[in-house]
Amino acid sequence: DKFCSKWYCEEYALQDAPTEFETYECAKDNGLYCEEWTGDIDSTEEFETTDCKCTAAGEKGTFCGSWKCYEKGLTYWIPNLLWSLLPLLLGFVPFYVLRKKVSKKKLAMFLCLYLVWSGGW
């Protein structure tokens, strides 16, 4: 091959930003160079995907001289585990209050509904 069809890199920042782990793969080539590529980028704070296309060939047409890229991504939402415990805590309060005030049959029905609701089903 005259060009890399896959590559990996780690992007370090000079500040306190987390390291990004990047994997790229050529999606289309012309035999001389990669014309389109895709990438997956991951760090402790976010994940991204990117798609790039060659917009102009370089000198003598042996490499891409200009790229146009589209990058999209989302940040990881922390503390997502703690938020998932919120329905458990909110549902436990009425269960605790009602445990002696209603019949066991109604309490069992409430407990079933509580478990379904807190499980996110």
Side-chain angles (χ1 to χ4, degrees):
D1 288 342
K2 296 180 180 189
F3 57 90
C4 293
S5 59
K6 292 182 183 180
W7 61 99
Y8 169 83
C9 68
E10 295 180 9
E11 182 180 324
Y12 300 95
L14 296 176
Q15 312 276 313
D16 289 334
T19 302
E20 289 187 343
F21 304 95
E22 306 176 359
T23 305
Y24 300 98
E25 187 169 351
C26 184
K28 180 182 174 188
D29 69 83
N30 64 6
L32 297 174
Y33 59 88
C34 183
E35 294 180 313
E36 296 179 16
W37 53 268
T38 60
D40 290 316
I41 305 158
D42 193 24
S43 74
T44 56
E45 291 182 353
E46 65 181 350
F47 62 93
E48 304 166 323
T49 60
T50 185
D51 297 306
C52 292
K53 293 183 180 185
C54 182
T55 57
E59 186 179 328
K60 299 181 184 178
T62 57
F63 63 93
C64 181
S66 180
W67 294 97
K68 182 172 185 173
C69 298
Y70 175 70
E71 185 175 283
K72 56 189 170 190
L74 292 170
T75 57
Y76 290 117
W77 192 57
I78 300 172
N80 59 1
L81 181 58
L82 294 176
W83 281 110
S84 65
L85 295 175
L86 186 62
L88 290 172
L89 297 174
L90 290 176
F92 181 74
V93 173
F95 176 75
Y96 185 78
V97 170
L98 295 174
R99 76 185 196 289
K100 292 186 179 182
K101 296 181 181 182
V102 297
S103 69
K104 288 185 179 184
K105 186 176 181 180
K106 287 184 180 180
L107 194 59
M109 184 180 72
F110 176 79
L111 181 60
C112 287
L113 291 172
Y114 164 65
L115 291 174
V116 169
W117 178 69
S118 63
W121 295 316

